[in-house]
Amino acid sequence: MAVYYESRQSEIYGGTISLIVLATASVIIRLIARQKSAAKLWWDDFIIVVALVFDWGLSACYWMQVRYCGLGRHTNTAGGPVGPVQLLKFYKLFLAIQLMYFASAVSIKTSLILLYYRIFGVVRWFRWLLAAVWAVVLLYFIVCLFVAVFECSPVAYYWDKSIKSGTACTASIIRVIAFDQVKLEDVTYTLVTASIWTTIEQSIGIVCACLPTTRPLIKRFLKGVKDSGDRGSHDKTLKTSTIPLSHFVVRQGLNDSTDTTNDSFVRLADAGTMGNGSVTAHASTAGSDKPPVAAHAILKQQMLEQHVEHAKGV
């Protein structure tokens, strides 16, 4: 009974959604970087967008298999809820998954080849080498596409084994079993790991194809962070810097209220507001060839009264 309720569907959702979001973000960052660098979009950029569309199609097929075909659950033969009707839909979508997989793979490879052509295309022999590599990639895609679609005769025999006189090629089956965990009698449950790795392959391929083109944006971002840190350090230095006391000339013999010598201004605080031990200091700037002059008085209440009485006596 426990087998009946076993499910790995959350693994599929978690793996495919996180990876497709990562691939999408990489393509968006790539396009932004191209715009910031004032470079025009070229064929390698357009093809990587096509690859992303196929990658989304691949993930969507897996989500449909989970929703309608029981992917992540056990089949009836293994004690699970997935019956013949769901298996028929499962194999239909599995054919679509193969087509999306091959289309995405060839698009990623083509985008990389075009990127190399854009960067190193000035070298003639390298252009010929890239053309040869792309021809191999295209041939591989055509062969895989042909095998995936026409491995069964008629094609409907791929998902409906009840068709009489139907024949099947084992190419796709061998490819799936190569993951060493897939059991055909319980394919909807044991195929989960292979499905996640298929998504990883395509999404990480898109990310890797976008990384070389994001360098200008990353460089600008790091420069902005560095400049912001430098400005913050400079402002902090200005706020905390002080002038040593030795640079000031202490002037004594203050008048009653002001002294305008050397453009300085001094005002003694009212006696009522000056408590014991209070300090009143005023600084002014002298000429450009003289150090700053500070007129300050450290006066206690009693000292102030004595000074006033002495002035009156004179």
Side-chain angles (χ1 to χ4, degrees):
M1 199 58 153
V3 174
Y4 185 88
Y5 293 103
E6 281 184 346
S7 174
R8 300 182 63 187
Q9 294 180 339
S10 60
E11 297 179 31
I12 301 171
Y13 280 128
T16 54
I17 291 175
S18 59
L19 288 165
I20 197 64
V21 168
L22 178 63
T24 303
S26 299
V27 173
I28 293 174
I29 293 173
R30 173 186 182 138
L31 299 178
I32 294 175
R34 298 284 285 164
Q35 182 183 15
K36 294 296 183 181
S37 62
K40 294 182 179 180
L41 297 178
W42 203 59
W43 285 105
D44 58 326
D45 302 306
F46 299 136
I47 297 300
I48 202 63
V49 173
V50 173
L52 180 64
V53 171
F54 285 126
D55 196 23
W56 270 97
L58 179 67
S59 297
C61 287
Y62 282 129
W63 298 335
M64 292 177 68
Q65 280 188 328
V66 173
R67 179 67 177 83
Y68 301 107
C69 310
L71 179 62
R73 304 291 299 275
H74 290 286
T75 60
N76 289 159
T77 56
V82 181
V85 176
Q86 290 173 299
L87 284 174
L88 187 145
K89 297 177 181 178
F90 173 86
Y91 282 111
K92 284 183 178 180
L93 284 171
F94 189 73
L95 177 60
I97 286 172
Q98 292 191 79
L99 301 181
M100 292 293 177
Y101 171 84
F102 294 128
S104 178
V106 72
S107 299
I108 295 171
K109 293 178 175 66
T110 301
S111 178
L112 282 170
I113 291 173
L114 290 172
L115 174 63
Y116 294 147
Y117 181 87
R118 178 164 57 86
I119 298 174
F120 306 108
V122 293
V123 182
R124 184 176 181 182
W125 67 266
F126 195 77
R127 291 201 305 267
W128 284 105
L129 179 61
L130 290 176
V133 172
W134 186 75
V136 173
V137 170
L138 186 60
L139 181 62
Y140 166 80
F141 170 70
I142 294 173
V143 171
C144 291
L145 193 66
F146 182 84
V147 172
V149 174
F150 299 107
E151 63 179 323
C152 295
S153 179
V155 176
Y157 189 73
Y158 188 92
W159 57 82
D160 187 3
K161 298 300 187 288
S162 64
I163 298 176
K164 296 181 179 180
S165 302
T167 59
C169 175
T170 59
S172 296
I173 297 176
I174 292 174
R175 176 178 172 271
V176 171
I177 294 179
F179 284 93
D180 199 36
Q181 295 182 352
V182 178
K183 298 178 181 179
L184 295 179
E185 64 273 12
D186 194 15
V187 65
T188 54
Y189 187 84
T190 57
L191 190 65
V192 170
T193 301
S195 301
I196 295 175
W197 277 106
T198 299
T199 307
I200 291 174
E201 179 184 352
Q202 300 309 308
S203 297
I204 296 301
I206 292 175
V207 173
C208 292
C210 292
L211 283 177
T213 62
T214 58
R215 182 176 179 273
L217 187 62
I218 295 175
K219 186 177 180 181
R220 175 175 293 191
F221 173 76
L222 294 178
K223 184 177 182 298
V225 172
K226 182 178 181 299
D227 293 343
S228 177
D230 292 342
R231 286 194 299 269
S233 300
H234 181 66
D235 293 342
K236 184 177 180 180
T237 301
L238 291 178
K239 290 178 181 179
T240 59
S241 61
T242 58
I243 301 176
L245 186 61
S246 59
H247 289 182
F248 293 95
V249 177
V250 178
R251 300 178 58 231
Q252 299 177 352
L254 303 176
N255 293 331
D256 292 342
S257 60
T258 63
D259 184 355
T260 58
T261 304
N262 293 328
D263 297 330
S264 63
F265 175 80
V266 179
R267 180 171 64 87
L268 297 178
D270 295 335
T273 61
M274 180 179 294
N276 293 335
S278 63
V279 178
T280 303
H282 303 275
S284 63
T285 304
S288 59
D289 57 341
K290 296 180 181 181
V293 177
H296 68 284
I298 303 176
L299 304 173
K300 294 184 179 181
Q301 182 72 21
Q302 295 178 355
M303 295 175 63
L304 179 60
E305 292 176 353
Q306 292 175 1
H307 179 74
V308 172
E309 290 176 358
H310 178 71
K312 290 180 178 180
V314 175

